[in-house]
Short mmCIF file of all heavy atoms in Angstrom, two decimals:
data_model
loop_
_atom_site.label_atom_id
_atom_site.label_comp_id
_atom_site.label_asym_id
_atom_site.label_seq_id
_atom_site.Cartn_x
_atom_site.Cartn_y
_atom_site.Cartn_z
N ALA A 184 0.82 -1.21 0.00
CA ALA A 184 0.00 0.00 0.00
C ALA A 184 0.85 1.25 0.00
O ALA A 184 0.47 2.29 -0.56
CB ALA A 184 -0.94 -0.01 1.21
N ASN A 185 2.03 1.17 0.62
CA ASN A 185 2.95 2.31 0.68
C ASN A 185 3.67 2.54 -0.66
O ASN A 185 4.45 3.49 -0.80
CB ASN A 185 3.98 2.12 1.79
CG ASN A 185 3.35 2.21 3.17
OD1 ASN A 185 2.25 2.74 3.32
ND2 ASN A 185 4.04 1.69 4.19
N GLY A 186 3.45 1.65 -1.59
CA GLY A 186 4.07 1.82 -2.92
C GLY A 186 5.46 1.26 -3.03
O GLY A 186 6.19 1.59 -3.97
N GLU A 187 5.86 0.40 -2.09
CA GLU A 187 7.20 -0.21 -2.18
C GLU A 187 7.25 -1.14 -3.40
O GLU A 187 6.28 -1.84 -3.71
CB GLU A 187 7.51 -1.02 -0.91
CG GLU A 187 7.88 -0.17 0.28
CD GLU A 187 8.49 -1.00 1.41
OE1 GLU A 187 9.32 -1.88 1.09
OE2 GLU A 187 8.11 -0.77 2.57
N HIS A 188 8.40 -1.13 -4.02
CA HIS A 188 8.59 -2.04 -5.16
C HIS A 188 8.76 -3.45 -4.65
O HIS A 188 9.42 -3.69 -3.64
CB HIS A 188 9.81 -1.62 -5.98
CG HIS A 188 9.60 -0.35 -6.75
ND1 HIS A 188 8.79 -0.28 -7.86
CD2 HIS A 188 10.07 0.91 -6.54
CE1 HIS A 188 8.79 0.97 -8.32
NE2 HIS A 188 9.55 1.71 -7.54
N TYR A 189 8.17 -4.38 -5.36
CA TYR A 189 8.29 -5.78 -4.97
C TYR A 189 8.29 -6.65 -6.22
O TYR A 189 7.98 -6.19 -7.33
CB TYR A 189 7.12 -6.19 -4.05
CG TYR A 189 5.78 -6.19 -4.74
CD1 TYR A 189 5.33 -7.30 -5.47
CD2 TYR A 189 4.94 -5.07 -4.69
CE1 TYR A 189 4.11 -7.29 -6.11
CE2 TYR A 189 3.71 -5.05 -5.34
CZ TYR A 189 3.30 -6.18 -6.05
OH TYR A 189 2.10 -6.17 -6.70
N VAL A 190 8.63 -7.90 -6.01
CA VAL A 190 8.46 -8.91 -7.05
C VAL A 190 7.76 -10.10 -6.41
O VAL A 190 7.78 -10.27 -5.19
CB VAL A 190 9.81 -9.36 -7.67
CG1 VAL A 190 10.50 -8.20 -8.36
CG2 VAL A 190 10.72 -9.98 -6.61
N VAL A 191 7.15 -10.90 -7.25
CA VAL A 191 6.58 -12.17 -6.79
C VAL A 191 7.52 -13.27 -7.24
O VAL A 191 7.82 -13.38 -8.44
CB VAL A 191 5.16 -12.40 -7.35
CG1 VAL A 191 4.65 -13.79 -6.97
CG2 VAL A 191 4.21 -11.32 -6.86
N ARG A 192 8.02 -14.07 -6.28
CA ARG A 192 8.95 -15.16 -6.59
C ARG A 192 8.26 -16.51 -6.43
O ARG A 192 7.39 -16.69 -5.57
CB ARG A 192 10.17 -15.11 -5.67
CG ARG A 192 11.13 -13.98 -5.97
CD ARG A 192 12.38 -14.06 -5.08
NE ARG A 192 13.33 -13.00 -5.39
CZ ARG A 192 14.28 -13.08 -6.31
NH1 ARG A 192 14.41 -14.21 -7.01
NH2 ARG A 192 15.10 -12.07 -6.53
N PHE A 193 8.67 -17.45 -7.25
CA PHE A 193 8.15 -18.81 -7.15
C PHE A 193 8.83 -19.52 -5.98
O PHE A 193 10.04 -19.42 -5.78
CB PHE A 193 8.44 -19.58 -8.44
CG PHE A 193 7.84 -20.95 -8.49
CD1 PHE A 193 6.46 -21.11 -8.58
CD2 PHE A 193 8.63 -22.09 -8.44
CE1 PHE A 193 5.89 -22.37 -8.63
CE2 PHE A 193 8.07 -23.36 -8.48
CZ PHE A 193 6.69 -23.50 -8.58
N LYS A 194 8.06 -20.24 -5.20
CA LYS A 194 8.60 -20.97 -4.05
C LYS A 194 8.92 -22.40 -4.48
O LYS A 194 8.07 -23.29 -4.46
CB LYS A 194 7.60 -20.97 -2.89
CG LYS A 194 8.18 -21.52 -1.59
CD LYS A 194 7.14 -21.49 -0.48
CE LYS A 194 7.71 -22.07 0.82
NZ LYS A 194 6.69 -22.11 1.89
N THR A 195 10.18 -22.60 -4.87
CA THR A 195 10.60 -23.90 -5.39
C THR A 195 10.59 -24.96 -4.28
O THR A 195 11.10 -24.71 -3.18
CB THR A 195 12.02 -23.79 -5.98
OG1 THR A 195 12.06 -22.70 -6.91
CG2 THR A 195 12.41 -25.07 -6.69
N PRO A 196 10.03 -26.12 -4.55
CA PRO A 196 10.02 -27.19 -3.55
C PRO A 196 11.45 -27.60 -3.15
O PRO A 196 12.39 -27.43 -3.92
CB PRO A 196 9.31 -28.34 -4.26
CG PRO A 196 8.54 -27.70 -5.36
CD PRO A 196 9.33 -26.51 -5.78
N VAL A 197 11.55 -28.15 -1.96
CA VAL A 197 12.86 -28.54 -1.42
C VAL A 197 13.02 -30.06 -1.47
O VAL A 197 12.04 -30.81 -1.35
CB VAL A 197 13.00 -28.05 0.04
CG1 VAL A 197 14.37 -28.39 0.61
CG2 VAL A 197 12.77 -26.54 0.12
N ASP A 198 14.28 -30.50 -1.68
CA ASP A 198 14.66 -31.92 -1.59
C ASP A 198 13.83 -32.81 -2.51
O ASP A 198 13.35 -33.88 -2.12
CB ASP A 198 14.51 -32.43 -0.15
CG ASP A 198 15.44 -31.71 0.82
OD1 ASP A 198 16.50 -31.25 0.38
OD2 ASP A 198 15.09 -31.61 2.01
N GLU A 199 13.69 -32.37 -3.75
CA GLU A 199 12.92 -33.18 -4.70
C GLU A 199 13.73 -33.37 -5.98
O GLU A 199 14.41 -32.46 -6.45
CB GLU A 199 11.59 -32.48 -5.02
CG GLU A 199 10.68 -33.32 -5.90
CD GLU A 199 9.34 -32.63 -6.17
OE1 GLU A 199 8.95 -31.71 -5.42
OE2 GLU A 199 8.67 -33.04 -7.15
N THR A 200 13.66 -34.57 -6.52
CA THR A 200 14.27 -34.85 -7.83
C THR A 200 13.16 -34.91 -8.86
O THR A 200 12.23 -35.74 -8.76
CB THR A 200 15.03 -36.19 -7.82
OG1 THR A 200 16.06 -36.14 -6.83
CG2 THR A 200 15.65 -36.47 -9.18
N LEU A 201 13.23 -34.02 -9.83
CA LEU A 201 12.22 -33.98 -10.89
C LEU A 201 12.65 -34.91 -12.02
O LEU A 201 13.76 -34.79 -12.55
CB LEU A 201 12.06 -32.56 -11.43
CG LEU A 201 11.57 -31.49 -10.45
CD1 LEU A 201 11.58 -30.12 -11.13
CD2 LEU A 201 10.18 -31.81 -9.93
N HIS A 202 11.78 -35.82 -12.37
CA HIS A 202 12.03 -36.72 -13.51
C HIS A 202 11.14 -36.25 -14.66
O HIS A 202 9.94 -36.50 -14.67
CB HIS A 202 11.72 -38.16 -13.13
CG HIS A 202 12.63 -38.71 -12.08
ND1 HIS A 202 13.83 -39.32 -12.37
CD2 HIS A 202 12.52 -38.70 -10.72
CE1 HIS A 202 14.42 -39.69 -11.24
NE2 HIS A 202 13.66 -39.32 -10.22
N LEU A 203 11.76 -35.54 -15.61
CA LEU A 203 11.00 -34.94 -16.70
C LEU A 203 11.32 -35.63 -18.03
O LEU A 203 12.40 -36.20 -18.19
CB LEU A 203 11.30 -33.45 -16.79
CG LEU A 203 11.13 -32.66 -15.48
CD1 LEU A 203 11.47 -31.20 -15.70
CD2 LEU A 203 9.72 -32.82 -14.91
N LYS A 204 10.38 -35.52 -18.96
CA LYS A 204 10.57 -36.17 -20.27
C LYS A 204 10.55 -35.14 -21.37
O LYS A 204 9.66 -34.30 -21.43
CB LYS A 204 9.46 -37.21 -20.50
CG LYS A 204 9.65 -38.00 -21.80
CD LYS A 204 8.69 -39.16 -21.88
CE LYS A 204 8.89 -39.97 -23.18
NZ LYS A 204 10.24 -40.52 -23.30
N ASP A 205 11.56 -35.23 -22.21
CA ASP A 205 11.67 -34.37 -23.39
C ASP A 205 11.61 -35.27 -24.62
O ASP A 205 12.30 -36.30 -24.66
CB ASP A 205 12.98 -33.58 -23.36
CG ASP A 205 13.12 -32.60 -24.50
OD1 ASP A 205 13.49 -33.03 -25.61
OD2 ASP A 205 12.86 -31.41 -24.29
N ILE A 206 10.79 -34.91 -25.61
CA ILE A 206 10.61 -35.76 -26.79
C ILE A 206 11.93 -36.03 -27.49
O ILE A 206 12.18 -37.14 -27.99
CB ILE A 206 9.61 -35.13 -27.77
CG1 ILE A 206 8.22 -35.04 -27.13
CG2 ILE A 206 9.52 -35.93 -29.07
CD1 ILE A 206 7.20 -34.26 -27.95
N ILE A 207 12.82 -35.04 -27.53
CA ILE A 207 14.09 -35.17 -28.23
C ILE A 207 15.19 -35.74 -27.33
O ILE A 207 15.96 -36.60 -27.73
CB ILE A 207 14.53 -33.79 -28.79
CG1 ILE A 207 13.53 -33.31 -29.85
CG2 ILE A 207 15.94 -33.85 -29.37
CD1 ILE A 207 13.71 -31.86 -30.26
N ARG A 208 15.22 -35.33 -26.07
CA ARG A 208 16.32 -35.66 -25.18
C ARG A 208 16.03 -36.81 -24.20
O ARG A 208 16.89 -37.23 -23.45
CB ARG A 208 16.75 -34.41 -24.41
CG ARG A 208 17.29 -33.38 -25.36
CD ARG A 208 17.33 -31.98 -24.82
NE ARG A 208 17.50 -31.06 -25.93
CZ ARG A 208 18.67 -30.83 -26.53
NH1 ARG A 208 19.75 -31.42 -26.12
NH2 ARG A 208 18.75 -29.99 -27.55
N GLY A 209 14.79 -37.26 -24.23
CA GLY A 209 14.45 -38.38 -23.36
C GLY A 209 14.23 -37.94 -21.92
O GLY A 209 13.76 -36.83 -21.65
N ASP A 210 14.59 -38.81 -20.98
CA ASP A 210 14.40 -38.53 -19.55
C ASP A 210 15.50 -37.61 -19.04
O ASP A 210 16.69 -37.85 -19.29
CB ASP A 210 14.39 -39.83 -18.75
CG ASP A 210 13.21 -40.73 -19.15
OD1 ASP A 210 12.15 -40.18 -19.45
OD2 ASP A 210 13.38 -41.97 -19.17
N ILE A 211 15.10 -36.59 -18.29
CA ILE A 211 16.05 -35.62 -17.73
C ILE A 211 15.73 -35.45 -16.25
O ILE A 211 14.57 -35.38 -15.86
CB ILE A 211 15.94 -34.25 -18.43
CG1 ILE A 211 15.99 -34.41 -19.95
CG2 ILE A 211 17.07 -33.32 -17.97
CD1 ILE A 211 15.75 -33.12 -20.71
N LYS A 212 16.78 -35.39 -15.42
CA LYS A 212 16.59 -35.20 -13.99
C LYS A 212 17.06 -33.81 -13.56
O LYS A 212 18.07 -33.31 -14.05
CB LYS A 212 17.39 -36.24 -13.20
CG LYS A 212 16.83 -37.65 -13.29
CD LYS A 212 17.41 -38.56 -12.21
CE LYS A 212 18.93 -38.64 -12.29
NZ LYS A 212 19.46 -39.62 -11.31
N PHE A 213 16.31 -33.20 -12.67
CA PHE A 213 16.67 -31.91 -12.08
C PHE A 213 16.50 -32.00 -10.57
O PHE A 213 15.50 -32.54 -10.09
CB PHE A 213 15.78 -30.78 -12.62
CG PHE A 213 15.95 -30.47 -14.08
CD1 PHE A 213 15.12 -31.07 -15.03
CD2 PHE A 213 16.92 -29.59 -14.51
CE1 PHE A 213 15.26 -30.78 -16.38
CE2 PHE A 213 17.08 -29.30 -15.86
CZ PHE A 213 16.25 -29.89 -16.79
N GLU A 214 17.46 -31.47 -9.83
CA GLU A 214 17.36 -31.39 -8.37
C GLU A 214 16.80 -30.02 -8.00
O GLU A 214 17.40 -28.99 -8.34
CB GLU A 214 18.73 -31.60 -7.73
CG GLU A 214 19.38 -32.95 -8.03
CD GLU A 214 18.59 -34.11 -7.48
OE1 GLU A 214 17.88 -33.93 -6.46
OE2 GLU A 214 18.66 -35.21 -8.07
N THR A 215 15.69 -30.00 -7.31
CA THR A 215 15.06 -28.72 -6.99
C THR A 215 15.92 -27.85 -6.07
O THR A 215 15.82 -26.62 -6.11
CB THR A 215 13.68 -28.93 -6.32
OG1 THR A 215 13.85 -29.69 -5.12
CG2 THR A 215 12.72 -29.65 -7.26
N ASN A 216 16.77 -28.48 -5.27
CA ASN A 216 17.62 -27.69 -4.35
C ASN A 216 18.63 -26.83 -5.10
O ASN A 216 19.22 -25.91 -4.52
CB ASN A 216 18.35 -28.61 -3.37
CG ASN A 216 17.42 -29.16 -2.30
OD1 ASN A 216 16.25 -28.80 -2.25
ND2 ASN A 216 17.94 -30.02 -1.44
N LEU A 217 18.86 -27.15 -6.37
CA LEU A 217 19.82 -26.39 -7.17
C LEU A 217 19.14 -25.26 -7.96
O LEU A 217 19.82 -24.48 -8.63
CB LEU A 217 20.56 -27.32 -8.14
CG LEU A 217 21.35 -28.48 -7.50
CD1 LEU A 217 21.96 -29.36 -8.59
CD2 LEU A 217 22.43 -27.93 -6.57
N LEU A 218 17.82 -25.18 -7.87
CA LEU A 218 17.08 -24.17 -8.62
C LEU A 218 16.90 -22.91 -7.78
O LEU A 218 16.84 -22.97 -6.56
CB LEU A 218 15.71 -24.71 -9.03
CG LEU A 218 15.70 -26.02 -9.83
CD1 LEU A 218 14.27 -26.47 -10.07
CD2 LEU A 218 16.43 -25.84 -11.16
N ASP A 219 16.78 -21.78 -8.45
CA ASP A 219 16.50 -20.54 -7.72
C ASP A 219 15.01 -20.23 -7.77
O ASP A 219 14.27 -20.81 -8.55
CB ASP A 219 17.31 -19.36 -8.29
CG ASP A 219 17.04 -19.12 -9.76
OD1 ASP A 219 16.59 -20.04 -10.44
OD2 ASP A 219 17.30 -18.00 -10.24
N ASP A 220 14.59 -19.36 -6.88
CA ASP A 220 13.19 -18.93 -6.83
C ASP A 220 13.01 -17.80 -7.84
O ASP A 220 13.22 -16.62 -7.53
CB ASP A 220 12.82 -18.46 -5.42
CG ASP A 220 12.73 -19.60 -4.43
OD1 ASP A 220 12.94 -20.76 -4.83
OD2 ASP A 220 12.47 -19.33 -3.24
N LYS A 221 12.62 -18.16 -9.05
CA LYS A 221 12.54 -17.18 -10.14
C LYS A 221 11.48 -16.12 -9.88
O LYS A 221 10.44 -16.38 -9.29
CB LYS A 221 12.20 -17.89 -11.45
CG LYS A 221 13.32 -18.75 -12.02
CD LYS A 221 14.43 -17.91 -12.60
CE LYS A 221 15.43 -18.80 -13.34
NZ LYS A 221 16.64 -18.04 -13.71
N VAL A 222 11.76 -14.91 -10.38
CA VAL A 222 10.78 -13.83 -10.34
C VAL A 222 9.71 -14.12 -11.38
O VAL A 222 10.02 -14.42 -12.54
CB VAL A 222 11.45 -12.47 -10.61
CG1 VAL A 222 10.40 -11.37 -10.72
CG2 VAL A 222 12.47 -12.14 -9.54
N LEU A 223 8.45 -14.02 -10.97
CA LEU A 223 7.32 -14.28 -11.86
C LEU A 223 6.55 -13.02 -12.23
O LEU A 223 5.95 -12.95 -13.31
CB LEU A 223 6.34 -15.26 -11.20
CG LEU A 223 6.89 -16.63 -10.80
CD1 LEU A 223 5.79 -17.43 -10.11
CD2 LEU A 223 7.42 -17.38 -12.01
N TYR A 224 6.58 -12.04 -11.32
CA TYR A 224 5.72 -10.86 -11.52
C TYR A 224 6.35 -9.68 -10.80
O TYR A 224 7.00 -9.85 -9.77
CB TYR A 224 4.33 -11.16 -10.93
CG TYR A 224 3.26 -10.15 -11.26
CD1 TYR A 224 2.62 -10.17 -12.49
CD2 TYR A 224 2.88 -9.19 -10.33
CE1 TYR A 224 1.62 -9.25 -12.79
CE2 TYR A 224 1.89 -8.26 -10.62
CZ TYR A 224 1.26 -8.29 -11.87
OH TYR A 224 0.27 -7.39 -12.17
N LYS A 225 6.19 -8.48 -11.39
CA LYS A 225 6.79 -7.28 -10.80
C LYS A 225 5.71 -6.27 -10.42
O LYS A 225 4.61 -6.29 -10.98
CB LYS A 225 7.77 -6.65 -11.80
CG LYS A 225 8.89 -7.59 -12.24
CD LYS A 225 9.72 -6.97 -13.34
CE LYS A 225 10.77 -7.94 -13.85
NZ LYS A 225 11.55 -7.39 -14.98
N SER A 226 6.06 -5.39 -9.51
CA SER A 226 5.08 -4.43 -9.01
C SER A 226 4.64 -3.42 -10.06
O SER A 226 3.65 -2.71 -9.87
CB SER A 226 5.62 -3.69 -7.78
OG SER A 226 6.86 -3.05 -8.08
N ASP A 227 5.35 -3.35 -11.19
CA ASP A 227 4.91 -2.45 -12.26
C ASP A 227 3.77 -3.06 -13.07
O ASP A 227 3.29 -2.46 -14.04
CB ASP A 227 6.08 -2.09 -13.18
CG ASP A 227 6.67 -3.30 -13.92
OD1 ASP A 227 6.15 -4.43 -13.74
OD2 ASP A 227 7.65 -3.12 -14.67
N GLY A 228 3.34 -4.27 -12.67
CA GLY A 228 2.21 -4.90 -13.34
C GLY A 228 2.57 -5.78 -14.51
O GLY A 228 1.68 -6.32 -15.19
N MET A 229 3.86 -5.96 -14.76
CA MET A 229 4.28 -6.80 -15.88
C MET A 229 4.81 -8.14 -15.38
O MET A 229 5.59 -8.19 -14.43
CB MET A 229 5.37 -6.10 -16.70
CG MET A 229 4.87 -4.90 -17.48
SD MET A 229 3.54 -5.29 -18.67
CE MET A 229 4.47 -6.11 -19.96
#
């Protein structure tokens, strides 16, 4: 309400191994603990 600038960040799950499938690359694993909490939205409305 005071007009402070902010961002909305994604809250990445902890201690999880993602097993994902890519049509070209096959099965791919990602460790969520190595991911950052990406910015999704900014206070300027974009």
Side-chain angles (χ1 to χ4, degrees):
N185 291 341
E187 284 193 43
H188 289 288
Y189 67 85
V190 297
V191 174
R192 287 184 178 272
F193 185 69
K194 189 180 179 183
T195 308
V197 183
D198 298 332
E199 185 178 341
T200 301
L201 298 176
H202 295 272
L203 307 180
K204 184 171 181 59
D205 184 279
I206 296 173
I207 296 169
R208 296 161 196 282
D210 297 325
I211 310 174
K212 289 196 302 185
F213 294 94
E214 300 296 332
T215 59
N216 286 356
L217 301 177
L218 304 176
D219 58 338
D220 289 359
K221 289 287 188 190
V222 173
L223 302 178
Y224 191 80
K225 302 173 184 177
S226 56
D227 63 1
M229 290 301 285

